[in-house]
Every structure is written in structure tokens, then in C-alpha cells.
Amino acid sequence: MTPATLRERTLELAKDLDTAEWMPTDLERVITRRLLTAAEPVGCITEHAVRDAVWEGSEPLVRASEGRLSLLLAEITYSLAGNGRDAAGLASAQALLASVNRR
């Protein structure tokens, strides 16, 4: 995984969400809501919040929508844990999660 991977996956999912190619499941929406709620006090998603959210629905999440959200969450975690944090990619990913939450 690279910082570009997070940006690419975020753009791909955002496009698919806008064109209804990707319809988030109820589980994906619940996890998205949890992440956004956890991000409110600090203003951004944290590695701990992503890990907690994935733990909640780990097995079904991997199967939901071909695991697309779980892959994005893995890339977010990788970016948060790495030395070369991609601030723009993380902001885009958080904006995508907000889009999912609004639908």
C-alpha cells in the first residue's frame, strides 16, 4: 500500500457511490457512522477508531460489497500508522465516509 493507493481507492469509491455502482450495506453505514462519531472530538479519523470499527463487524464487513469499504479502512489504517501520512488522502477518505453517512 502507498499513499496513492488510499487516494485512488477513495476516488473510485466516491465515483461509484455517486453513480450508484456501490450501494453501502447497513453494516457499512453503521461502521461509517461510528467512525465519524469517533472523529468528531479530534476532527479526524484515528487509527484506534478504525481498528475498533473494523473489529465490530470484521467478518461480515469483508464480505459486504465485495469488501470495498474494508479495503478502504485497511488503507486508512496503513496511512495513519505509517511515517508518510497522506493528509489529503485521509481527508478525502473522511469526506467519502461523510457522503456514505448522509445517504
Side-chain angles (χ1 to χ4, degrees):
M1 286 182 224
T2 66
T5 308
L6 173 59
R7 282 178 260 147
E8 290 166 6
R9 180 149 335 266
T10 300
L11 288 173
E12 177 186 311
L13 281 175
K15 178 185 72 102
D16 289 351
L17 182 64
D18 289 342
T19 62
E21 288 254 342
W22 175 46
M23 300 294 289
T25 63
D26 290 340
L27 175 61
E28 290 171 318
R29 285 190 175 88
V30 166
I31 288 174
T32 297
R33 194 172 312 115
R34 284 177 181 253
L35 282 171
L36 293 172
T37 300
E40 281 179 15
V42 292
C44 62
I45 298 170
T46 65
E47 182 182 355
H48 181 73
V50 174
R51 291 182 189 279
D52 283 352
V54 171
W55 179 255
E56 277 301 309
S58 59
E59 186 181 335
L61 181 62
V62 173
R63 286 185 262 161
S65 301
E66 299 173 358
R68 296 179 77 184
L69 183 66
S70 64
L71 287 172
L72 177 69
L73 297 179
E75 287 160 3
I76 290 170
T77 303
Y78 177 82
S79 182
L80 289 167
N83 294 331
R85 239 179 228 200
D86 178 11
L90 289 167
S92 294
Q94 188 164 336
L96 171 63
L97 295 174
S99 292
V100 169
N101 191 49
R102 284 191 300 272
R103 292 176 190 244

